[in-house]
Amino acid sequence: MGASDRFPVSLNAVNIVCFKIDWEERVLNVLLVKRNISPYKNKWSLPGGFVQGDQTLEEAARRIFVEETGISPAYLSQFRSYSDTKRDKRVINQRSGQKARVFTTAFTAIYTSDEELQLDKESEDIRWFKISKRYFSRHIPEDMAFDHYEILVDTSNRLRATLEYSGLATRFLSEFFTLGQIQDVYEILWEVELDPANFREKLTNVDGWIREVKKVPENVKSRRGKPPTWYKEESLTNFERMISNPEGEKIRKKEVEYQKIVDQNTTEIPIVKNIKKS
């Protein structure tokens, strides 16, 4: 048995699924880059790259995203790892033809500013794509590089499901916001209409998530009409399902199915004692 068999080579990568709300069109967007290098040259992909030896996954994700896009996300969180044996077998030695498996960890990112995107030297194009749930395949190219289409679908589904039990919605907003603006986030991501009175009552009953702000900077005050009540995020909290997505049953079912697969493939590793050295 050769060294390559005993110690198979693998590489660690990260990919960032960055979301942004287009407030004018009231639709969720995702950032994609078009590769100008092999493999998958001229294919759209998620921003990403390889983890350097002295970096954590989080450090690599933030560095790579800034380098490839020229912008910095307001929120970044690890989502899920992808390790299919066929997802990416990279040739690392042209003479011997030796390949390495590439594992990737996907991150969810949220962007809230308006800075211009910057094209990286390894990219041919960079663009925000609509990611409407009902017309997903109409806007997103299905022949994306690697397994990035699958990662994008998984991450967008999780994002929408997370709103039911997490205060993530406020991460799409500026520091000071109104209850109506939080409702806008839910309605845009879920593509539904919610009853304002019922929804806002639920919002204010979530302990530790948001708090009312009496004094706000002049630049965020309303210039016309009755001054709104402003709020600020207190912490990114988790809670019991505050409000169910009226059309979220399919998303919840898919997440349950994924967890079942993980459980089936995860077995307890027995502890072996008294191993005799040869």
Side-chain angles (χ1 to χ4, degrees):
M1 181 182 292
S4 60
D5 296 319
R6 289 186 293 124
F7 307 107
V9 178
S10 61
L11 302 173
N12 292 315
V14 291
N15 286 107
I16 301 91
V17 187
C18 185
F19 299 102
K20 177 184 178 180
I21 290 180
D22 184 326
W23 295 102
E24 292 186 3
E25 296 195 22
R26 291 182 63 84
V27 67
L28 185 65
N29 286 354
V30 68
L31 187 61
L32 301 180
V33 296
K34 194 172 188 179
R35 299 170 60 87
N36 68 2
I37 58 172
S38 296
Y40 293 100
K41 187 175 181 179
N42 297 324
K43 296 292 184 180
W44 288 97
S45 69
L46 298 166
F50 292 106
V51 181
Q52 295 180 354
D54 60 346
Q55 288 183 319
T56 65
L57 292 173
E58 289 75 15
E59 290 170 343
R62 189 168 292 277
R63 172 187 62 83
I64 291 168
F65 186 76
V66 172
E67 289 177 354
E68 288 199 358
T69 67
I71 61 177
S72 181
Y75 170 86
L76 186 69
S77 178
Q78 189 176 146
F79 167 57
R80 183 179 294 171
S81 293
Y82 292 80
S83 59
D84 191 290
T85 57
K86 298 179 181 180
R87 69 168 309 277
D88 185 357
K89 288 190 175 180
R90 194 68 58 101
V91 176
I92 58 174
N93 189 318
Q94 294 294 338
R95 295 184 62 182
S96 66
Q98 183 183 15
K99 295 183 179 180
R101 283 184 63 188
V102 180
F103 302 86
T104 193
T105 300
F107 282 77
T108 301
I110 295 174
Y111 183 67
T112 58
S113 300
D114 294 313
E115 299 169 1
E116 284 195 20
L117 299 170
Q118 297 180 18
L119 195 63
D120 179 70
K121 62 181 180 180
E122 295 184 352
S123 303
E124 181 180 321
D125 196 2
I126 183 170
R127 193 184 309 169
W128 291 102
F129 282 78
K130 295 179 182 178
I131 193 170
S132 169
K133 177 167 59 69
R134 292 193 177 96
Y135 305 107
F136 190 95
S137 60
R138 184 182 301 180
H139 301 301
I140 303 296
E142 294 188 23
D143 60 340
M144 291 177 64
F146 308 104
D147 52 356
H148 290 189
Y149 186 86
E150 176 189 354
I151 295 174
L152 177 53
V153 172
D154 289 347
T155 314
S156 60
N157 282 339
R158 172 64 66 84
L159 176 71
R160 292 182 169 102
T162 299
L163 294 186
E164 293 188 316
Y165 56 84
S166 167
L168 192 62
T170 50
R171 293 302 170 95
F172 283 94
L173 303 172
S174 57
E175 182 179 6
F176 302 97
F177 47 80
T178 67
L179 297 183
Q181 290 171 339
I182 301 179
Q183 182 173 336
D184 285 340
V185 175
Y186 277 83
E187 291 185 338
I188 291 171
L189 267 62
W190 285 354
E191 300 170 36
V192 298
E193 290 187 11
L194 301 170
D195 176 70
N198 181 47
F199 181 78
R200 297 180 190 196
E201 180 182 1
K202 291 179 181 293
L203 283 184
T204 54
N205 286 332
V206 177
D207 292 333
W209 180 20
I210 61 175
R211 61 180 174 84
E212 185 177 339
V213 179
K214 298 297 183 181
K215 294 183 179 181
V216 296
E218 290 291 333
N219 61 333
V220 299
K221 290 184 178 180
S222 177
R223 295 183 179 180
R224 296 181 180 179
K226 181 181 177 181
T229 301
W230 294 98
Y231 290 82
K232 185 176 182 180
E233 181 185 270
E234 196 165 16
S235 67
L236 182 56
T237 185
N238 293 325
F239 38 75
E240 296 293 328
R241 185 180 297 168
M242 178 192 66
I243 183 169
S244 294
N245 182 348
E247 300 181 3
E249 186 60 34
K250 292 182 179 179
I251 296 177
R252 290 192 291 272
K253 184 178 180 181
K254 184 172 183 179
E255 286 297 316
V256 170
E257 290 174 350
Y258 171 78
Q259 190 57 51
K260 287 181 178 178
I261 294 174
V262 172
D263 293 340
Q264 291 171 358
N265 294 333
T266 304
T267 57
E268 185 177 348
I269 301 174
I271 298 175
V272 180
K273 298 181 179 180
N274 301 323
I275 300 178
K276 295 182 179 180
K277 296 182 179 180
S278 57

